[in-house]
Amino acid sequence: MKWTPSRDKVGTTIVNFNLRHRLWIAGGCISAYLIVLFLVMWNTSAPPRLGLSVAWDTTTSEWRVTRVSPISPASELPIQPGDSVVGVDGIGPTTGEPSEGLAIEQSSRVEIQPAAGTESFVADAGTRAPNRVTFAVISASAVLLGLIAFLYGRGTAPLALALVCYAGAIEIIVSVAGYWQWRPALVLHGIFLPLAVSSIAYLSLVFPVSRQLQLGRWRVPAIALPISSLPISALLTISTFVSIDAFSRLQPMFYLYDVACLGTASGAFLYSWWKSRSGRERVQLRIVTLGSVIAVTPFLAFTVIPRLVLGRDIVSPEVTLHALILLPASFAYAILRYQIMDLR
């Protein structure tokens, strides 16, 4: 696999749009984002559901789990189809009435008795609910950075950054609503997660200079990477609604796609660093590297590593996650400093 210089025709076409056209496009994107943000906050105001489907077992006279939603609090817990529900908010369900089953499926806290006969446990979705305000702030900040890059940037790189910011912002906020089992959020998650990851790879091929992937005799244009997310998005969305088994079987493929995109991005940036000839390119890459390190260090050092070593956070992820906005911000500064601020 090689990287060869290229010129992105799609980016060049959009670059030729004047400010008026860009304002119309930006206005449409911002309006769509604000609608999604409002609907997410509205539909996540109540406590989240666990994400269980149950049925009454007439033989044993108890409610049994029949399905665990693939993107839900229950999917993160050791709950399996066949397990029994022995309590809902401290009350044991015994009647078998449909209303009782509906109450279990809509509950955020139930007591589960595993079919394997091990000790029962309480599954509480509320203790795992993400902080909506934190994710909304990060998401809105990403949209703002993307808007600045789209309106004032010149060339393909600002457009690629705008795509990363917008797709990432939508994915960040709908991932919260997906935890609440809001169906439209699961559809948007299936669309924007692959698009966000592939857009990072796209950005790596157009910044600091435009390149193409060369696979043997085949040259792959950079724009093909975000386009490749379409079939992945379709499979992810469909499998989410079919069953957790279908989602689990396809999950390795989704991980492989993510790894391939992120691996392409890492390789392209390293190659650009190695091949960079001008001082401008080296300065841009240095800014991006420094910003990326500063962005991920708080989350890794004070949240992820302490959880693995100590079993608890030193600093809550609701705090450390805010630093991640420095990641797209470093790209925006590296790209736009020569275009808007005319820094040398």
Side-chain angles (χ1 to χ4, degrees):
M1 183 173 63
K2 298 179 180 179
W3 286 271
T4 57
S6 70
R7 185 175 182 181
D8 194 321
K9 295 181 179 179
V10 175
T12 303
T13 301
I14 301 178
V15 166
N16 290 332
F17 287 172
N18 58 33
L19 184 59
R20 180 183 176 184
H21 293 149
R22 293 192 182 204
L23 286 172
W24 277 105
I25 296 173
C29 291
I30 293 298
S31 299
Y33 171 77
L34 291 176
I35 292 172
V36 171
L37 180 62
F38 171 79
L39 291 175
V40 166
M41 301 303 286
W42 177 270
N43 285 276
T44 58
S45 57
R49 295 184 293 115
L50 271 169
L52 298 176
S53 297
V54 297
W56 180 254
D57 189 336
T58 56
T59 305
T60 58
S61 297
E62 59 186 356
W63 289 99
R64 291 192 178 274
V65 176
T66 58
R67 181 178 182 269
V68 179
S69 298
I71 302 176
S72 68
S75 66
E76 301 175 1
L77 296 168
I79 302 176
Q80 301 293 331
D83 291 349
S84 303
V85 178
V86 296
V88 182
D89 297 323
I91 302 174
T94 56
T95 64
E97 294 293 329
S99 59
E100 196 174 59
L102 182 62
I104 294 173
E105 293 179 352
Q106 293 181 343
S107 177
S108 61
R109 188 175 186 273
V110 301
E111 185 177 355
I112 300 292
Q113 175 63 59
T118 55
E119 186 177 355
S120 64
F121 62 92
V122 175
D124 191 346
T127 59
R128 295 170 172 265
N131 188 307
R132 300 181 305 150
V133 176
T134 296
F135 283 86
V137 169
I138 296 173
S139 175
S141 300
V143 167
L144 180 60
L145 286 172
L147 180 65
I148 294 172
F150 181 74
L151 290 178
Y152 299 106
R154 299 190 302 274
T156 308
L159 301 179
L161 177 62
L163 180 60
V164 171
C165 290
Y166 190 77
I170 295 289
E171 170 55 25
I172 288 170
I173 197 63
V174 300
S175 64
V176 175
Y179 193 92
W180 265 258
Q181 298 296 288
W182 185 46
R183 283 302 179 96
L186 299 179
V187 175
L188 292 174
H189 169 72
I191 295 172
F192 282 95
L193 176 60
L195 179 60
V197 175
S198 61
S199 296
I200 296 174
Y202 175 47
L203 176 61
S204 70
L205 291 179
V206 296
F207 170 81
V209 295
S210 293
R211 302 184 187 278
Q212 285 183 331
L213 277 175
Q214 186 169 346
L215 304 174
R217 295 182 300 174
W218 299 91
R219 288 189 176 184
V220 181
I223 193 63
L225 291 172
I227 293 176
S228 70
S229 68
L230 296 178
I232 301 297
S233 297
L235 285 174
L236 181 58
T237 302
I238 293 172
S239 65
T240 300
F241 284 93
V242 173
S243 71
I244 191 169
D245 293 332
F247 180 82
S248 299
R249 285 194 295 269
L250 291 173
Q251 202 167 25
M253 183 182 68
F254 302 145
Y255 287 150
L256 182 62
Y257 180 78
D258 293 344
V259 170
C261 289
L262 295 177
T264 299
S266 301
F269 283 127
L270 290 174
Y271 185 81
S272 296
W273 191 295
W274 178 47
K275 286 290 187 178
S276 60
R277 294 290 181 264
S278 68
R280 170 175 171 171
E281 292 178 15
R282 287 188 175 275
V283 169
Q284 288 179 311
L285 291 169
R286 193 180 302 121
I287 292 170
V288 168
T289 303
L290 179 61
S292 301
V293 171
I294 295 175
V296 302
T297 295
F299 183 59
L300 291 177
F302 299 112
T303 301
V304 176
I305 296 177
R307 279 191 180 186
L308 295 175
V309 178
L310 305 176
R312 60 181 177 83
D313 304 327
I314 294 178
V315 180
S316 170
E318 281 78 9
V319 177
T320 56
L321 281 173
H322 282 94
L324 292 179
I325 196 60
L326 293 175
L327 190 59
S330 63
F331 277 91
Y333 178 67
I335 293 172
L336 301 178
R337 59 181 268 135
Y338 294 100
Q339 299 183 4
I340 297 178
M341 295 174 284
D342 195 28
L343 295 178
R344 292 291 184 265

